């Protein structure tokens, strides 16, 4: 639970006892994500003061100990777990991948022209769907370990505007765009 700068782990077995607490003083609506027994907290500074950067902190979910901390791109909107790799992106063009065990940055990419972007994971590849400034949707298949493009093509679509790259996984491995 996160409330007013305090991150708490509460025992839900019936006692309601607080197992551990951590104070996150400069956080504004942090994004929380559980990955196995790890809690990832994306901390965005409340006030954009000089020197304050967006970062992700990995906590041991059982005891609250900090496992690692790493800077991430400004305005990270989403996190996606790809096996042992965590990918962060801003929903427009900036992507960063980190090793979940160490927090080490594996790669960083800028994709497209910064209009809109969505990511999906199929168990092997990261699928990056983005829309160019001319409203043309594109698809890249990216290796999550190296960040290298494995496949790319322009998506043929009649969809225009805000939701042109809102990809959702469909049956048989297809993506609806």
């Amino acid at each position: 639970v996160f409330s007013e700068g305090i991150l708490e782990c509460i025992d839900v077995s019936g006692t309601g006892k607080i197992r551990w607490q951590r104070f996150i003083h400069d956080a504004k609506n942090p994004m929380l994500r559980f990955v196995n027994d790890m809690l990832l907290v994306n901390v965005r500074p409340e006030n954009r003061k000089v020197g304050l950067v967006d970062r992700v902190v990995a906590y041991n979910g059982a005891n609250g100990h900090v496992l690692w901390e790493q800077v991430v791109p400004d305005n990270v909107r989403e996190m996606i777990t790809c096996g042992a790799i965590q990918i962060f992106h801003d929903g427009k063009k900036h992507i960063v991948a980190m090793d979940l065990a160490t927090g080490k940055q594996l790669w960083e990419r800028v994709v497209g022209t910064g209009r809109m972007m969505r990511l999906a994971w199929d168990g092997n590849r990261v699928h990056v769907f983005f829309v160019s400034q001319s409203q043309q949707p594109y698809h890249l298949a990216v290796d999550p370990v190296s960040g290298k493009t494995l496949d790319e093509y322009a998506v043929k679509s009649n969809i225009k505007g805000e939701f042109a790259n809102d990809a959702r996984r469909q049956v048989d491995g297809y993506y609806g765009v």
Side-chain angles (χ1 to χ4, degrees):
V1 176
F2 180 81
S3 178
E4 297 186 25
I6 301 172
L7 179 66
E8 297 178 320
C9 176
I10 299 172
D11 187 346
V12 294
S13 68
T15 65
K17 179 181 171 186
I18 296 173
R19 296 176 69 191
W20 54 264
Q21 285 184 325
R22 296 294 173 263
F23 297 96
I24 306 174
H25 300 291
D26 59 350
K28 178 183 179 183
N29 299 323
M31 201 176 352
L32 308 175
R33 165 77 49 98
F34 283 97
V35 180
N36 300 322
D37 61 350
M38 182 186 303
L39 172 62
L40 298 176
V41 180
N42 176 229
V43 179
R44 297 181 299 216
E46 190 168 359
N47 298 314
R48 288 283 174 194
K49 296 178 182 172
V50 176
L52 293 180
V53 295
D54 288 17
R55 65 192 192 283
V56 64
V57 182
Y59 294 94
N60 178 309
N63 59 28
H65 292 148
V66 174
L67 301 171
W68 51 264
E69 184 173 344
Q70 185 65 260
V71 172
V72 292
D74 287 347
N75 300 314
V76 164
R77 286 185 26 185
E78 294 186 36
M79 296 188 264
I80 183 169
T81 305
C82 305
I85 296 167
Q86 191 70 25
I87 296 181
F88 303 86
H89 70 91
D90 65 2
K92 294 186 177 187
K93 64 180 180 176
H94 203 160
I95 307 171
V96 174
M98 292 180 193
D99 182 310
L100 274 169
T102 65
K104 178 184 173 198
Q105 183 174 313
L106 300 173
W107 53 269
E108 183 172 2
R109 283 186 71 168
V110 173
V111 177
T113 56
R115 176 114 171 91
M116 291 181 294
M117 178 175 62
R118 299 287 186 271
L119 274 62
W121 165 245
D122 69 4
N124 294 308
R125 298 173 167 196
V126 178
H127 296 273
V128 180
F129 298 90
F130 66 95
V131 176
S132 69
Q133 292 293 352
S134 65
Q135 300 296 319
Q136 174 64 45
Y138 291 90
H139 169 240
L140 301 176
V142 176
D143 176 62
V145 176
S146 68
K148 292 181 181 175
T149 300
L150 302 172
D151 194 13
E152 73 179 284
Y153 60 91
V155 176
K156 295 188 181 358
S157 171
N158 293 329
I159 302 170
K160 295 288 185 190
E162 184 177 346
F163 300 104
N165 71 331
D166 196 10
R168 296 290 179 244
R169 180 117 194 224
Q170 306 296 321
V171 294
D172 298 322
Y174 292 96
Y175 290 85
V177 178

